[in-house]
Amino acid sequence: MNANAPPVRQVAYLETIIKVQQELLACKELSSIYTSILSDIRQATGASRAYFFSSQLHDTIQVYTLVAESCEPSLSPRTDITLLQALPHSYVPHWTVILMHSGLVYGKKDDFASEEKFFMSSQNIQSILLAPVIAEQRFLGFLGLDDCKNVHEWNTMDKEMLQRLAAALAYALLHEQIVQDLMYARQEQLELMEMLAHDLKNPLSAILLTAEVLMRNQDKLSREEMEKRLTNIKQSVLRMKDISDTMLQSRRSTQIMSTTLCLEPIGLTNVIETVADALRMQAAAKGQRLVVEASKEVPKALGDRIVVMQVLENLISNAIKFSPLGKKIWVRLSKHDKWIHIEVADEGPGVKEEERHRLFQKRAKLSIKPTGGESSTGYGLWICKTLIEAMHGKIWYEERQGYGATFVVALRSTTEVNES
């Protein structure tokens, strides 16, 4: 602080600095204290207004956004003025250069060039003082003071105080962003774990059911039947490995498979039959019958074989989960112009019309309940939609004439025959 300044003024400025810094350190959400700290700064300096503009770079142009302000009771807030809500760099080019290089902007209206003078006139500003908010070499915006009534002579204490508080705000903003990033990363990791548990559930159930059949009937099954069931267990284990490898490669739940897809022409008949075979025992445990209608004459589709299997596992296991005991579930394959459709249809209660808009949302919770007490995480259909769209395909829901549900997956058709 200025050693030549009156002691009373020095104390007042120091008290303001300490108070604002303490508020910045103690608060959990900066937006809740902006008005308070700006009011303290305005009153300490005697300015007409105090404000904080955040800054972002858009198409090489620095754009400021008014975050908060405090003004004298006799003045009207400027927060609704479009010019101040998105202040373009072109209005104050010289100021932007100074601020981005850690300099202060201050002076009377007549001290500035035409662009700055025009801006100050349009906002009835007689004198102005701006301090950059910079942390880790990142320009985050500026704190500002201005006087609308008189030509304010900004003294050394005004400048030092605003600089110190701008620096304190910069690091508070940086800290808040780091905390938010950590919370976001933690949430993403939790979601990845939940999704991994969701997708491992089907192959694990298949292994458990197959093992139980082998244990109960080991003396009755032929060698061929034993080998078939052991092959099914092996395939389920390989599916689990594929799923876990994919999840480990994905750092974020919103990037599931999108960076590891291998799009190629695939024959869907064998894919459907492989998935259906793995889930037939699960359906049989509820007295349900899984019917596959997939002609080998349907052309191949463009997709990732592992991903298509994952989607089908989700859709068929959902049909099993939400269908009543003893009902049928159909999996159909057909060609529609340039698209190959896979339909998974059931005889369950369907989805209420008012809930259909939430079907493919993450963690969607609907009123329909599993018929066998199975668990439901709300991830399955969201995962399906994410994966299908990553393959440039489409997925949607259809009502089956008042009963049952049909989910349709559409993938791009190729010119190749499905199965040779």
Side-chain angles (χ1 to χ4, degrees):
M1 284 291 175
N2 186 354
N4 298 321
V8 175
R9 293 286 303 278
Q10 287 191 38
V11 170
Y13 278 79
L14 284 171
E15 286 178 345
T16 301
I17 291 172
I18 292 169
K19 181 183 177 184
V20 171
Q21 288 179 334
Q22 286 177 338
E23 287 187 74
L24 290 171
L25 287 171
C27 80
K28 294 183 179 179
E29 187 178 350
L30 291 178
S31 59
S32 65
I33 65 167
Y34 282 138
T35 303
S36 172
I37 63 176
L38 290 172
S39 177
D40 290 336
I41 295 170
R42 179 181 59 79
Q43 292 180 43
T45 58
S48 300
R49 300 178 189 272
Y51 37 82
F52 167 49
F53 277 87
S54 65
S55 173
Q56 285 186 320
L57 197 65
H58 290 290
D59 297 326
T60 71
I61 296 176
Q62 206 75 34
V63 176
Y64 301 114
T65 301
L66 181 58
V67 176
E69 73 169 353
S70 170
C71 62
E72 290 182 351
S74 60
L75 297 175
S76 299
R78 296 186 299 199
T79 51
D80 293 331
I81 297 178
T82 304
L83 178 65
L84 285 173
Q85 286 183 333
L87 176 63
H89 158 278
S90 57
Y91 275 92
V92 285
H94 184 59
W95 290 355
T96 296
V97 173
I98 294 173
L99 291 168
M100 291 184 70
H101 288 82
S102 304
L104 284 175
V105 170
Y106 60 92
K108 302 182 293 292
K109 181 170 59 177
D110 293 337
D111 295 336
F112 298 105
S114 56
E115 292 96 339
E116 291 84 1
K117 187 182 293 184
F118 171 77
F119 170 73
M120 292 177 70
S121 296
S122 68
Q123 298 302 314
N124 190 31
I125 298 173
Q126 301 301 317
S127 56
I128 198 164
L129 171 61
L130 309 178
V133 177
I134 298 175
E136 300 292 334
Q137 298 182 332
R138 289 170 53 192
F139 179 55
L140 306 177
F142 62 82
L143 278 180
L145 296 168
D146 63 47
D147 200 311
C148 299
K149 297 178 179 180
N150 306 299
V151 177
H152 197 119
E153 296 289 346
W154 308 106
N155 59 43
T156 303
M157 289 189 297
D158 294 328
K159 298 171 188 175
E160 288 184 3
M161 184 183 74
L162 201 62
Q163 276 184 309
R164 290 191 186 188
L165 295 182
L169 176 60
Y171 281 94
L173 286 166
L174 189 64
H175 177 265
E176 185 177 61
Q177 186 60 56
I178 290 171
V179 171
Q180 289 175 352
D181 290 345
L182 288 172
M183 290 176 63
Y184 179 75
R186 180 176 178 274
Q187 182 63 31
E188 287 287 348
Q189 293 303 311
L190 287 173
E191 287 184 355
L192 281 173
M193 290 174 63
E194 290 175 346
M195 290 161 56
L196 179 60
H198 175 277
D199 283 350
L200 290 178
K201 185 167 54 179
N202 288 326
L204 276 171
S205 297
I207 291 172
L208 180 61
L209 287 170
T210 304
E212 287 177 350
V213 169
L214 288 173
M215 291 174 66
R216 286 199 309 266
N217 303 285
Q218 55 184 320
D219 297 330
K220 302 175 186 177
L221 294 174
S222 65
R223 181 180 179 83
E224 183 180 349
E225 290 172 326
M226 291 278 287
E227 288 180 351
K228 180 180 178 180
R229 283 167 171 75
L230 288 172
T231 299
N232 287 341
I233 289 177
K234 180 181 178 181
Q235 289 175 340
S236 294
V237 171
L238 291 174
R239 284 285 302 116
M240 292 171 65
K241 183 179 183 300
D242 288 335
I243 292 169
S244 58
D245 286 347
T246 298
M247 290 295 183
L248 288 172
Q249 292 171 16
S250 301
R251 294 187 178 182
R252 300 190 315 190
S253 60
T254 51
Q255 292 181 334
I256 319 166
M257 294 294 290
S258 59
T259 58
T260 56
L261 288 175
C262 179
L263 298 181
E264 59 184 353
I266 55 173
L268 294 175
T269 302
N270 280 349
V271 171
I272 291 172
E273 289 176 346
T274 299
V275 176
D277 284 344
L279 294 173
R280 274 201 171 89
M281 292 183 67
Q282 190 175 322
K286 297 179 70 172
Q288 299 164 346
R289 191 154 70 92
L290 195 52
V291 180
V292 174
E293 298 174 1
S295 170
K296 292 186 178 182
E297 295 180 0
V298 176
K300 290 185 176 182
L302 187 66
D304 185 298
R305 182 183 180 87
I306 294 173
V307 172
V308 173
M309 290 181 70
Q310 186 174 349
V311 169
L312 283 177
E313 278 185 350
N314 273 310
L315 294 179
I316 297 173
S317 64
N318 269 359
I320 294 170
K321 183 188 301 182
F322 294 104
S323 292
L325 305 181
K327 297 295 184 177
K328 287 183 181 179
I329 295 161
W330 292 268
V331 185
R332 302 186 179 100
L333 181 67
S334 57
K335 184 179 185 298
H336 295 261
D337 297 325
K338 297 180 179 180
W339 296 90
I340 304 299
H341 287 190
I342 305 172
E343 296 181 12
V344 178
D346 61 48
E347 295 181 297
V351 180
K352 291 180 179 179
E353 187 173 355
E354 62 269 23
E355 296 181 337
R356 291 174 192 170
H357 70 283
R358 293 192 281 115
L359 263 176
F360 298 99
Q361 294 178 0
K362 190 188 298 185
R363 291 198 187 96
K365 293 295 183 181
L366 309 178
S367 58
I368 181 175
K369 302 298 180 185
T371 55
E374 300 97 330
S375 62
S376 178
T377 63
Y379 273 101
L381 292 176
W382 174 73
I383 292 173
C384 290
K385 185 174 187 294
T386 302
L387 296 177
I388 291 299
E389 290 180 349
M391 293 187 292
H392 312 295
K394 297 179 285 187
I395 183 171
W396 65 88
Y397 169 86
E398 293 179 354
E399 185 74 17
R400 292 188 62 240
Q401 298 178 349
Y403 72 96
T406 299
F407 286 90
V408 183
V409 170
L411 296 173
R412 290 284 183 182
S413 174
T414 70
T415 57
E416 297 185 43
V417 176
N418 194 333
E419 302 291 344
S420 57

